[in-house]
């Protein structure tokens, strides 16, 4: 629903836009198959499948546990196949994702579904272009800004889903900062960056001597986050054999250190993020359905940047202002060029492009010679692009080294200081020092 970036208070201004979004409602009915006559109302996203947790539960053995999802849009419904075994078809064509109009038939397994319009529902939109330090002008983001105070005020588990680079970590931090637990710690566990052999110790801690190399007692992430929030980044990477232990911690609100015998009570809020659709992972049996049910209390889908192109210019201007707080606005030709792109790397890729344009006058980003060229070493026979890539690499390496050294190797603190996404900084560290790690 949104991709995010930290912004200063000066960026948070009122915008004159429509204050509500009118979304169609529908009736989804089984018109052919063994469950003919079954139907549900579609007001928000619904799932269809054999699994008991699906919104529309089918008995058809050719239907997957979590077969497909349907989400209302302004003038249609977005249908997504959840990597089902037998696929999803619209008008006889197998689709992974499609916009479905009223009356079109959806075929899954031996079942045929049909959507019929029943009316509309009004969803409020925030009048601000920011909530806390999250930024965006699109209707999807402002719909989230209207909901976020309620989400932050609760203590419920939040599951953030979205592609890499869309801003899931920033959203998690913003929720924490606006919650009743804001005075407590915000502990990040990157499930994709920790060795599978160490992740149990990272989560739950260990006792001295519990395994080879355990030379001292270690307090796990759950205990470190006491009174605050623990954020599981890329939860879809969590090994299958550890998922029952995480489920127990969420259900019973206790953990047990590796090698320990005593249960330790928890006082934390849990936020999780993943670049995978966990419903599809349940189908593939790489993610436990019971853990998904427990995490699926409040699920927020963070859209790709290509789904909200109206936000590109605002984000680009913000990144440019961070580089030159007292300087002029970015050139119009740069903004036009950025607005035309699809951004497969999302907000993170956009930020890198703005940085290159600002620092180097990159012709791929900036069709203007108004910016002064930086001092570079000209080598005969070496092409322009190779020289440019070397210059960028040298600058990046020097910058991130100074940044991380200043914060004693604490990547999270360094990222906050630079107003940089932690994952983006980690990517830069890996690019320049393959043996670097996050403390």
């Amino acid at each position: 629903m949104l991709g995010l970036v930290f912004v200063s208070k000066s960026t948070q201004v009122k915008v004159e836009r429509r204050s509500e979004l009118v979304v169609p409602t529908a009736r989804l009915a089984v018109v052919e198959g063994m469950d003919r006559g079954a139907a549900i109302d579609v007001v928000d996203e619904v799932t269809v499948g054999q699994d008991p947790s699906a919104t529309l539960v089918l008995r058809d053995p050719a239907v997957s546990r979590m077969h497909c999802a349907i989400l209302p849009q302004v003038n249609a419904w977005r249908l997504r196949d959840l990597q089902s075994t037998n696929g999803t078809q619209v008008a006889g064509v197998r689709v992974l994702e499609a916009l479905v109009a009223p009356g079109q038939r959806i075929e899954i397994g031996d079942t045929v579904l049909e959507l019929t319009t029943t009316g509309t529902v009004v969803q409020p939109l925030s009048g601000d272009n920011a909530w806390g330090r999250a930024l965006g002008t699109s209707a999807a983001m402002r719909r989230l800004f209207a909901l976020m105070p309620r989400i932050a005020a609760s203590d419920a588990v939040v599951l953030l889903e979205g592609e890499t680079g869309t801003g899931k970590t920033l959203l998690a931090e913003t929720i924490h900062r606006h919650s009743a637990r804001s005075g407590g710690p915000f502990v990040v566990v990157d499930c994709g960056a920790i060795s599978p052999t160490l992740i149990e110790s990272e989560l739950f801690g260990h006792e001295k001597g519990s395994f080879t190399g355990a030379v001292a007692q270690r307090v796990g992430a759950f205990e470190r986050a006491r009174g605050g929030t623990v954020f599981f980044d890329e939860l879809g990477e969590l090994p299958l054999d550890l998922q029952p232990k995480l489920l127990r911690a969420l259900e019973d609100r206790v953990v047990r250190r590796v090698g320990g015998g005593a249960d330790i009570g928890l006082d934390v809020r849990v936020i999780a993020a993943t670049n995978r659709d966990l419903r599809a992972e349940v189908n593939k049996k790489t993610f436990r359905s019971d853990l998904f049910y427990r995490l699926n209390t409040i699920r927020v889908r963070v859209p790709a940047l290509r789904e909200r192109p109206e936000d590109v210019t605002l984000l680009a201007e913000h990144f440019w202002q961070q580089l030159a707080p007292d300087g002029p606005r970015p050139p119009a030709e740069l903004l036009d060029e950025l607005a035309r792109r699809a951004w497969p790397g999302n907000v993170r890729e956009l930020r890198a492009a703005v940085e290159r344009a600002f620092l180097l006058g990159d012709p791929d980003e900036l069709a203007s010679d108004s910016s002064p060229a930086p001092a570079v070493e000209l080598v005969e026979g070496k092409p322009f692009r190779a020289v440019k890539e070397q210059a960028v690499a040298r600058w990046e390496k020097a910058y991130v080294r100074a940044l991380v050294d200043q914060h004693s190797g604490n990547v999270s603190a360094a990222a906050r200081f630079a107003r940089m996404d932690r994952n983006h900084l980690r990517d830069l560290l890996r690019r320049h020092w393959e043996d670097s790690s996050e403390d």
Side-chain angles (χ1 to χ4, degrees), residues 262-324:
D263 288 338
I264 301 169
L266 299 182
D267 176 22
V268 297
R269 183 182 191 172
V270 174
I271 303 177
T274 177
N275 61 11
R276 306 180 183 185
D277 190 320
L278 295 184
R279 295 169 298 187
E281 300 302 314
V282 170
N283 280 339
K284 295 190 296 184
K285 299 182 179 180
T286 58
F287 200 86
R288 290 178 61 101
S289 58
D290 49 4
L291 178 56
F292 171 72
Y293 305 152
R294 186 63 184 81
L295 293 167
N296 195 33
T297 305
I298 300 176
R299 190 168 63 86
V300 178
R301 179 178 175 269
V302 186
L305 190 55
R306 62 182 175 277
E307 298 176 34
R308 50 189 190 92
E310 61 267 51
D311 289 335
V312 170
T313 297
L314 181 64
L315 291 166
E317 288 184 329
H318 171 69
F319 293 139
W320 187 278
Q321 186 181 28
Q322 285 185 322
L323 295 165

Side-chain angles (χ1 to χ4, degrees), residues 191 199 203 234-240 242-243 246 286-287 291:
C191 300
I199 194 165
L203 293 182
E234 299 307 342
L235 185 68
E237 306 292 335
L238 189 69
L240 193 61
L242 277 181
Q243 293 176 21
L246 177 57
T286 58
F287 200 86
L291 178 56

Side-chain angles (χ1 to χ4, degrees), residues 158-283:
V158 179
L159 176 62
L160 308 173
E161 294 183 338
E163 296 178 8
T164 298
T166 51
K168 300 185 293 296
T169 299
L170 296 186
L171 178 55
E173 291 180 353
T174 305
I175 293 172
H176 171 72
R177 290 172 184 269
H178 286 79
S179 73
R181 294 178 175 273
S182 59
F186 180 78
V187 176
V188 178
V189 179
D190 190 337
C191 300
I194 303 173
S195 167
T197 60
L198 297 177
I199 194 165
E200 184 173 6
S201 173
E202 173 62 27
L203 293 182
F204 309 123
H206 64 251
E207 299 292 351
K208 180 179 179 180
S210 57
F211 56 86
T212 303
V215 296
Q217 183 188 74
R218 175 180 174 82
V219 175
F222 275 109
E223 290 184 76
R224 296 200 305 273
R226 187 182 301 277
T229 302
V230 60
F231 173 54
F232 294 100
D233 196 10
E234 299 307 342
L235 185 68
E237 306 292 335
L238 189 69
L240 193 61
D241 60 342
L242 277 181
Q243 293 176 21
K245 296 180 180 181
L246 177 57
L247 176 62
R248 177 176 180 263
L250 297 178
E251 291 283 359
D252 300 339
R253 309 299 292 178
V254 296
V255 295
R256 182 174 295 180
R257 293 175 186 159
V258 177
D263 288 338
I264 301 169
L266 299 182
D267 176 22
V268 297
R269 183 182 191 172
V270 174
I271 303 177
T274 177
N275 61 11
R276 306 180 183 185
D277 190 320
L278 295 184
R279 295 169 298 187
E281 300 302 314
V282 170
N283 280 339

Side-chain angles (χ1 to χ4, degrees), residues 411-431:
V411 175
S412 295
R416 287 192 295 270
F417 175 85
R419 296 183 181 179
M420 179 185 295
D421 182 80
R422 179 178 53 84
N423 290 331
H424 178 53
L425 178 55
R426 190 179 61 228
D427 289 344
L428 292 177
L429 287 168
R430 287 173 175 167
R431 183 183 309 164

